[in-house]
Amino acid sequence: MMSYKSILAHIEFDGNSDGRLHYATDLAGELDAYLVGFAASALRAMHVSEMGIATDELFRSEAGAMNVRRFEQLRRCFFAIAGDGPNSAWRQSQDLPTKALLLHARAADLIVSGTPHGAAPGDNYRSADPGELVCNAGRPVIFVGEDKVFRHPARAVIGWKDTPQARRAITFALPFLVLAKSVLVLAIGDHRHGADNSGPMDVVRFLLRHGVDADARIIEEDDKPETFIEALDEEKSDLVVTGAYGHSRLRERLFGGFTHALLMRSDLNRLMAG
């Protein structure tokens, strides 16, 4: 069975990530995993004119010094929470956060992040794009809900669609699912018109072979994000496992979609894989 031996905790350059970091620290302790704290921020050019972008060197020097102080503050906070021992380490990058985070994802089995701006990327010089992260990290990402603490999930819900992303997400989520008190495989769609219902049951059998006791629920309604979100709330889910972006990201940004809807739910723990 897959296990997480190394976890990368993404710390926001701005704002407070203490809750997310406590979650990552407790998860690493539960799994005896190596924990890496990571933060990134890039300096921006300041002046735009008809001649193009001009760099103010004085500004860059002052902003760079402020970044150094902020990195040191974040580093101290990380070690204060995670402990400064053989199972913890710190990394930082003066680069665009999304780009830097995707690069350093290679060092981990799991990325712990959050969605302080919902599905939006926020300021790309100072925060990571969650959609870009989950699509291109090559690693599972758990977006920790605001003010959530780590505990064994009481009700984990797998949003099932027969896609490569959903299959990968289930495999990646096994370390969480074996800890869960109950697991539900949830599929949504109008199965009365010839759709195959065998997929959710195959997933249940797959999970049983990995020691995860799961059941399945099929909602015979239109395949809409609202239906899925309502079902999550009805099930009182405290962990949601899904594949990411079954449609193009542009289409979801324009018209909405399951991934976009989940990224907006900062009250939930959401494990996703692209």
Side-chain angles (χ1 to χ4, degrees), residues 72-251:
E72 178 58 22
Q73 182 184 33
L74 294 173
R75 187 189 69 83
R76 290 197 304 268
C77 179
F78 169 75
F79 283 120
I81 294 174
D84 189 359
N87 277 340
S88 60
W90 174 256
R91 294 187 180 194
Q92 63 192 48
S93 176
Q94 294 201 52
D95 202 345
L96 295 172
T98 303
K99 175 184 174 185
L101 192 52
L102 290 175
L103 176 66
H104 287 269
R106 65 193 177 194
D109 297 308
L110 174 73
I111 299 168
V112 177
S113 190
T115 55
H117 306 285
D123 180 351
N124 66 347
Y125 283 85
R126 302 175 76 89
S127 61
D129 182 335
E132 190 74 17
L133 175 60
V134 76
C135 285
N136 294 309
R139 297 288 190 269
V141 182
I142 182 165
F143 296 105
V144 177
E146 299 299 318
D147 301 320
K148 294 293 184 182
V149 297
F150 173 74
R151 65 177 184 178
H152 292 190
R155 185 61 160 169
V157 173
I158 297 169
W160 173 250
K161 288 188 175 183
D162 198 0
T163 65
Q165 295 92 333
R167 297 180 189 190
R168 283 193 291 269
I170 292 168
T171 301
F172 284 142
L174 283 173
F176 280 102
L177 297 178
V178 297
L179 298 176
K181 294 181 176 64
S182 66
V183 176
L184 175 69
V185 181
L186 178 64
I188 297 174
D190 194 342
H191 297 270
R192 294 167 294 183
H193 294 90
D196 185 2
N197 294 345
S198 63
M201 295 311 302
D202 275 344
V203 175
V204 167
R205 285 186 284 268
F206 167 83
L207 292 171
L208 285 171
R209 294 187 185 99
H210 285 275
V212 178
D213 187 10
D215 55 354
R217 177 185 173 191
I218 299 170
I219 300 177
E220 295 186 344
E221 295 182 17
D222 290 340
D223 189 10
K224 294 180 179 179
E226 295 81 2
T227 305
F228 182 60
I229 295 296
E230 289 173 5
L232 293 179
D233 292 336
E234 181 181 328
E235 293 289 341
K236 295 180 171 55
S237 171
D238 53 358
L239 175 66
V240 186
V241 177
T242 65
Y245 290 106
H247 301 293
S248 73
R249 290 191 63 204
L250 177 60
R251 182 184 186 281

